[in-house]
Amino acid sequence: MDESLPTPVTQAGRDGLGALLGRPGGAVVAFDFDGTLAPIVADPAQARAHPDAAPALAALAPKVASVAVITGRPPDVAVRLGGFDRTPGLDHLVVLGHYGAERWDAATGEITAPPPHPGVADARAELPGLLDRVGAWQGTWIEEKGRALAVHTRRSTDPQAAFEALREPLTDLATRHGLIVEPGRLVLELRPPGMDKGVALTDHIRALGAEAVLYAGDDLGDLPAYSAVDKLRSDGVPGLLVCSAGSEEVPELKDRADLVVDGPRGVVRLMRALAAQLG
């Protein structure tokens, strides 16, 4: 596999990459899970990390301050689907699940988390009836995420039409229970406010006093992490924004990225190239 490092298209990205390579011991390298480390599939329960993702993370992890996976999934689910607990060399990995509300540390295998938001249980009880009233059951299904709920339209006859039809009623439901709706690729997620990948990434970087950051994502839910990196740059922390572009690209992310790679396969290549460059 080619281990040459690609060149970011922006000066900010080149500065971020240079800082990471120059001060790896002070760098945080963070990744989304679905679409970035794992290919997108119709049924999220069937998702699995790219077979080379965990070994590539293990090759990179000892050479930087921290490797983090930031995901909307529960952390134990991401760990299982990623094989992170079965891969030697990942002692410094953290998985920030539920957008940072829960944290799994590879060093201890433990999950730490605050109490769940009560609005999630209330919305869960009402959601089936809402979908029935809207007439959205055909091909639409609910993913239970513990601290959040997601409604997928990917299997519908007209997935985009179903997605648009559900935006307003789901937003109303979420608002009544103190939640927000986060859109993704043919999915609408109901979750508590203050939970996003930008907050999770910023808190992790501040806690470590990191001097450089790389963040890779693929979907609308990664935009807050992109904004967090932009803010960190303005505060003097160089950063590199990577877009994992698959068959269903998100233009909003791709247009803001310093570097675009070919889906999870491209993310693995990038990790391997970084590990090789760091020696």
Side-chain angles (χ1 to χ4, degrees), residues 2 6 14 20 24 36 51 55-56 65 104 119 129 136 143 155 164 203 251 261 267:
D2 184 9
R14 292 190 288 272
L20 192 160
T36 302
W104 177 85
E143 180 187 2
R155 300 173 186 169
E164 296 300 337
D203 288 350
V261 299
V267 172

Side-chain angles (χ1 to χ4, degrees), residues 8-253:
V9 298
T10 66
Q11 185 59 53
R14 292 190 288 272
D15 291 344
L17 179 59
L20 192 160
L21 294 175
R23 303 189 296 276
V28 169
V29 183
F31 304 90
D32 167 49
F33 186 75
D34 292 283
T36 302
L37 296 179
I40 294 291
V41 294
D43 180 358
Q46 300 303 314
R48 296 293 184 275
H50 185 286
D52 295 326
L57 284 169
L60 182 59
K63 301 174 182 181
V64 296
S66 173
V67 171
V69 175
I70 307 178
T71 175
R73 289 183 183 267
D76 56 327
V77 173
V79 168
R80 175 173 54 82
L81 299 180
F84 303 140
D85 56 345
R86 304 187 300 275
T87 303
L90 283 179
D91 293 349
H92 299 296
L93 174 72
V94 297
V95 177
L96 304 176
H98 288 304
Y99 303 92
E102 294 187 359
R103 172 181 173 129
W104 177 85
D105 284 271
T108 63
E110 295 180 353
I111 292 175
T112 55
H117 190 292
V120 175
D122 295 336
R124 180 183 294 116
E126 290 189 36
L127 190 52
L130 182 149
L131 294 179
D132 191 41
R133 289 193 301 274
V134 174
W137 273 121
Q138 189 66 35
T140 300
W141 60 283
I142 302 167
E143 180 187 2
E144 173 57 61
K145 304 181 80 170
R147 293 175 180 268
L149 299 161
V151 179
H152 295 259
T153 66
R154 189 177 301 275
R155 300 173 186 169
S156 301
T157 304
D158 189 336
Q160 190 62 41
F163 177 88
E164 296 300 337
L166 284 169
R167 270 183 181 266
E168 185 174 347
L170 287 181
T171 298
D172 290 343
L173 174 66
T175 301
R176 283 193 288 105
H177 295 297
L179 307 175
I180 61 170
V181 172
E182 181 70 38
R185 287 196 253 179
L186 302 177
V187 59
L188 294 155
E189 183 168 306
L190 289 75
R191 70 170 189 256
M195 291 171 55
D196 69 45
K197 294 179 183 180
V199 173
L201 179 62
T202 300
D203 288 350
H204 188 56
I205 286 169
R206 297 300 191 201
L208 292 173
E211 301 174 287
V213 58
L214 177 154
Y215 183 80
D218 77 306
D219 204 350
L220 295 173
D222 296 300
L223 287 173
Y226 269 40
S227 295
V229 172
D230 285 338
K231 177 63 167 60
L232 288 162
R233 285 168 167 172
S234 70
D235 293 340
V237 179
L240 174 63
L241 292 170
V242 178
C243 176
S244 170
S247 58
E248 299 179 68
E249 295 175 5
V250 177
E252 297 93 330
L253 215 68

